[in-house]
Amino acid sequence: MFIVYILFSESIDMYYVGHTANIKDRLVRHNQGRSKSTKRGAPWRLMYSERFKTKSEAYQREMEIKKKKSRKYIENLINSSR
């Protein structure tokens, strides 16, 4: 099982989109500053996730979300999942 996730950092008011097989471990690594792209935004909160059977499907969905380049799209995803 692979997960596409969206994190939010209040300190820099930014969303981050990624994919992983282990969301708990990945969130810990983001918050410990072990990910170059999210080091300055800790602490990060998990706001949204989607599950996929394959890594390829998860990666394709991650890229689909990122290509939108839209904060509004991301916030709509988050709000529709609540």
Side-chain angles (χ1 to χ4, degrees):
M1 187 68 58
F2 293 87
I3 299 169
V4 171
Y5 61 91
I6 299 175
L7 305 178
F8 180 72
S9 167
E10 282 188 34
S11 64
I12 59 173
D13 190 33
M14 187 177 109
Y15 289 99
Y16 177 83
V17 181
H19 75 279
T20 185
N22 184 336
I23 190 66
K24 288 180 183 180
D25 177 64
R26 192 68 181 122
L27 185 56
V28 167
R29 290 191 293 155
H30 281 299
N31 283 322
Q32 288 178 342
R34 292 169 41 197
S35 178
K36 190 176 181 180
S37 57
T38 59
K39 187 181 341 187
R40 69 185 182 98
W44 292 90
R45 283 192 349 249
L46 179 64
M47 303 300 290
Y48 178 82
S49 64
E50 289 181 40
R51 296 179 182 273
F52 295 89
K53 288 183 181 178
T54 68
K55 185 175 183 174
S56 175
E57 290 173 319
Y59 178 75
Q60 287 174 1
R61 178 62 172 144
E62 176 188 348
M63 290 298 108
E64 180 183 323
I65 293 169
K66 287 181 173 180
K67 284 180 184 176
K68 301 275 186 194
K69 297 187 180 196
S70 171
R71 182 181 183 108
K72 187 174 183 175
Y73 178 78
I74 288 172
E75 289 174 346
N76 285 338
L77 276 177
I78 292 166
N79 291 330
S80 69
S81 70
R82 292 184 178 182

